[in-house]
């Protein structure tokens, strides 16, 4: 199932939290060889995890992490604006309608549907939080994955060649893309919306909460 958790909620799910940060270490340090820091617990965390981002996490039946993404609004600090502006020719991405998506991670042996389920959950965020686009940095290996899922970005800029190529892209989520991604994930749109509503409440519940 999909869980939507802010960083300050992760301690309520220690098994899920710990396995997510360990899977990030395994993917980004061990498998990809990125220059990332690993702490004494074997966790991969960076400065953006301290900004109370929203995580979308696929939780396996045993309560462990199967895959995840991290989201921050571009009106605040983001990885793109602080580290990758050279790809954009010196420009930045700052808009209340655009959120940054980073740390797309899949555990070893994750089923192919997990990546699509994460993308479907990203679409729920767009639709319910009135976000028009996600922005993100991705490497060459992800191009094939995005194509298979049915959610390829608009490329804003790239640098490097071959396997070392890094790009900045923008994702939108049309109804047609939503249907394709849901089919890849093997999930109904009703179940996807149920998981979102369990985390944030329905629109009517949110309105009542704000009024109260």
């Amino acid at each position: 199932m999909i869980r939507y958790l802010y960083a300050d909620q992760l301690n309520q799910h220690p098994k899920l939290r710990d396995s997510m940060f360990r899977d990030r270490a395994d993917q980004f340090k061990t498998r990809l060889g990125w220059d990332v820091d690993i702490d004494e617990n074997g966790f991969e965390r960076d400065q953006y995890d301290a900004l109370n981002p929203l995580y979308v996490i696929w939780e396996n039946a045993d309560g462990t992490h199967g895959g995840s993404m991290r989201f921050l609004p571009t009106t605040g600090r983001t990885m793109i604006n602080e580290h990758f502006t050279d790809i954009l020719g010196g420009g930045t991405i700052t808009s209340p309608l655009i959120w940054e998506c980073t740390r797309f991670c899949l555990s070893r042996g994750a089923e192919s549907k997990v990546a699509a389920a994460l993308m479907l959950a990203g679409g729920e965020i767009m639709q319910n939080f009135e976000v028009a686009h996600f922005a993100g940095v991705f490497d060459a290996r992800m191009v094939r994955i995005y194509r298979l899922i049915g959610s390829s970005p608009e490329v804003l800029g790239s640098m490097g060649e071959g396997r070392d190529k890094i790009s900045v892209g923008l994702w939108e989520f049309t109804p047609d893309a939503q249907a394709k991604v849901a089919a890849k994930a093997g999930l109904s749109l009703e179940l996807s919306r149920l998981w979102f509503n369990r985390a944030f409440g329905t629109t009517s519940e949110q309105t009542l909460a704000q009024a109260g």
Side-chain angles (χ1 to χ4, degrees):
M1 66 172 291
I2 288 289
R3 285 194 182 274
Y4 301 82
L5 297 169
Y6 285 98
D8 61 9
Q9 298 173 310
L10 288 177
N11 289 341
Q12 301 171 26
H13 306 272
K15 188 175 185 179
L16 186 61
R17 174 201 63 201
D18 293 356
S19 55
M20 177 178 72
F21 288 127
R22 289 194 178 107
D23 281 344
R24 278 176 37 174
D26 179 55
Q27 175 170 310
F28 299 124
K29 185 73 171 183
T30 304
R31 288 185 272 162
L32 296 179
W34 289 9
D35 183 19
V36 295
D37 295 324
I38 309 300
D39 69 15
E40 66 276 7
N41 296 310
F43 297 168
E44 188 283 306
R45 288 188 285 199
D46 64 16
Q47 58 187 309
Y48 301 99
D49 291 303
L51 301 179
N52 202 34
L54 174 62
Y55 300 94
V56 169
I57 308 173
W58 177 267
E59 182 179 11
N60 294 321
D62 64 357
T64 61
H65 168 267
S68 56
M69 302 186 293
R70 180 181 69 186
F71 294 93
L72 283 167
T74 61
T75 50
R77 291 182 55 204
T78 62
M79 188 177 290
I80 288 174
N81 290 341
E82 295 183 350
H83 298 282
F84 295 99
T85 56
D86 50 341
I87 298 179
L88 298 172
T92 60
I93 298 175
T94 305
S95 169
L97 301 179
I98 302 176
W99 285 15
E100 181 184 63
C101 177
T102 56
R103 289 304 194 256
F104 183 93
C105 175
L106 297 174
S107 64
R108 286 182 186 254
E111 297 181 65
S112 58
K113 69 176 184 180
V114 173
L118 293 173
M119 289 292 187
L120 186 62
E124 295 287 355
I125 293 175
M126 281 188 172
Q127 292 174 340
N128 290 281
F129 289 170
E130 298 183 353
V131 176
H133 294 90
F134 290 141
V137 179
F138 60 95
D139 56 25
R141 72 187 175 89
M142 292 301 298
V143 174
R144 174 176 170 274
I145 294 174
Y146 295 144
R147 188 179 299 121
L148 287 173
I149 294 172
S151 181
S152 296
E154 173 191 354
V155 177
L156 301 182
S158 303
M159 64 186 303
E161 299 293 336
R163 293 170 61 90
D164 297 324
K165 187 175 183 179
I166 299 175
S167 303
V168 173
L170 277 182
W171 283 260
E172 61 178 357
F173 208 66
T174 64
D176 181 57
Q178 183 183 41
K180 289 180 180 178
V181 172
K184 291 285 185 181
L187 296 170
S188 70
L189 297 181
E190 291 76 17
L191 181 57
S192 176
R193 181 56 52 88
L194 174 64
W195 287 336
F196 182 89
N197 288 342
R198 282 180 176 175
F200 300 106
T202 62
T203 302
S204 58
E205 289 172 341
Q206 292 169 7
T207 300
L208 286 172
Q210 291 169 357

